[in-house]
Amino acid sequence: MPTEPKDAYQIDDLKDWENATSDLEPPARLAVFGAPVIHSRSPQMHNPALVEGGRNCQYVRLHIEPGDLRNALNLLKEKDFIGTNVTIPHKGEVYAAMDELTEVAKLTHSVNTVLVDDGKLIGHNTDAPGLEQAIREEFSVDLSDLRVMVLGAGGGAGRAACVQAAMDRSERLVLVNRTFEKANALKKELEPIYSKSERLQGPVDRLAVIPHETPYLERELEHVDLIINATSLGMKASDPILIPPHLLQPHHLIFDMVYAPPQTRLMRDAVKAGARSANGLSMLLWQGAFAYEFWFNEEPPVDAMRKGLKDSFN
Ligand code: NAP
C-alpha cells in the first residue's frame, strides 16, 4: 500500500533512498534541498505538474545541512534523480559544485535548479527568468521597457534581478544596497552588458548604484518605474521601512519578492500612494515552471502548478 512521503527526508534517508522511500509510488526522483526546508511549498506546486505532465515520479523535501551538501549532490547521481531545487542556504555553494553551468547561472553566480544529465550535474538559475515572467504577468509590461530599481542588489535574489534586467537591457537599472560595496562590485560586472546597448539616453545614468539611504532614494525614485524588493525585509511587521512612504509615486510599480504575508508594508504604502503592487508569488510560480522545463525539456503545466501553489495556502 503506497504511503504519503515524509514532510522532510534527511541525509541518512538519501544514503539509503531505496529503503527509505520503498513505500512511495510513484518514486521520488525530484527534491528541494534546504535547511530549513519544511516550509517549502515546492512539493505542492510540482507534484500536480508531474501528474498533469504524465511523469511517473514525485517531488519531496530533503533537509540538507551545509556540511552534507556535496555528499547529497553526489548521491543524486547514484540514486537516479532527475534533478533538484536548492534553497537557503545552498544557492552559492551548489554553484561551486556543478560540472556545468547555464549562462544565466554563470552570470548570477548562483544555482537554484540542478539537472542530472548523463552522470553530470548541470546548474541553472530560474529565479532570474522567473522574475522576468512574473513582471510581465503582474504588470503587462516587459522588464526591457522599464526603468528598474532593485533594493537588496547585493543579495542572491537581488543579483538575479539585476542580471535579468541587464540581460533584457532595461531602460534603466539602479542598484541599491545597504552594503554599498557589494552593489558597486555588481555594477562593474554589468557595465560591459550595458555598454553593448545603444539606447543610453536621458538626464540620468542608465546604470547607477546608490547606498540604501533616503537622500539617495529620493533623488533616484523620480527616474524609475519598477521598484523590486529583493532584500530579506518585509516578512515581519517589525522590519524597518524600505522606502519612506512619501517618496512613492502613482507611476511606480512595486514588486515585492516576499509573498508571506501576501501584502507587505511596502505594498500597502504603494497602494496608499496610488501605485500598483504585486507580491512574489508569481515569481515563485515561474521559477518553478522554468525548473520543470529545464528538467524535462518540455513546456511546463503552469495551470496545475498555479493551482497547487494556491491550494497550499488554504
Ligand atoms: P540574501 O542573499 O541574504 O540577501 C539579503 C539582502 O537584503 C541583501 O542585499 C542585504 O543587504 C539586504 N538586507 C538585509 N537586511 C537589511 C536591512 N536591514 N536594510 C536594508 N537591506 C537589508 O537573501 P536572498 O536569498 O537574496 O533573498 C532575499 C529575499 O527574496 C527573501 O525574502 C527571499 O525569500 C526572497 N526571494 C523570493 C523568491 C520568490 O520566488 N518570490 C525567490 C528568491 C528569493 P546587505 O548586502 O547589506 O547585507
Side-chain angles (χ1 to χ4, degrees), residues 88 91 127 151-159 176-180 182 212 229-233 235 240 242 255-259 279-285 287:
I88 291 171
K91 291 183 187 181
D127 284 336
L151 308 175
R159 186 184 170 96
V176 183
N177 208 53
R178 178 180 60 175
T179 312
F180 178 77
K182 284 202 231 166
H212 197 152
N229 174 31
T231 73
S232 40
L233 303 180
M235 279 176 271
L242 286 159
F255 186 85
D256 201 326
M257 287 196 189
V258 171
Y259 50 84
N279 70 26
L281 204 59
S282 48
M283 179 175 170
L284 182 66
L285 169 73
Q287 64 76 30

Side-chain angles (χ1 to χ4, degrees), residues 75-87:
L75 286 165
L76 287 179
K77 302 183 204 171
E78 255 178 56
K79 306 295 180 184
D80 197 28
F81 270 72
I82 294 162
T84 187
N85 284 129
V86 293
T87 184

Side-chain angles (χ1 to χ4, degrees), residues 183-199:
N184 199 34
L186 176 58
K187 176 179 176 267
K188 287 195 167 65
E189 282 182 53
L190 297 179
E191 273 164 2
I193 298 183
Y194 263 95
S195 68
K196 281 184 205 152
S197 165
E198 288 160 12
R199 295 191 328 198

Side-chain angles (χ1 to χ4, degrees), residues 18 20 30 32 49 64 102 112 122 152 164 171 176 180-181 258 263 274 289 300:
E18 297 77 5
L30 285 160
V32 52
I64 302 293
T102 63
N112 76 333
I122 306 178
Q164 190 64 53
E171 287 290 333
V176 183
F180 178 77
E181 295 70 30
V258 171
Q263 199 178 38

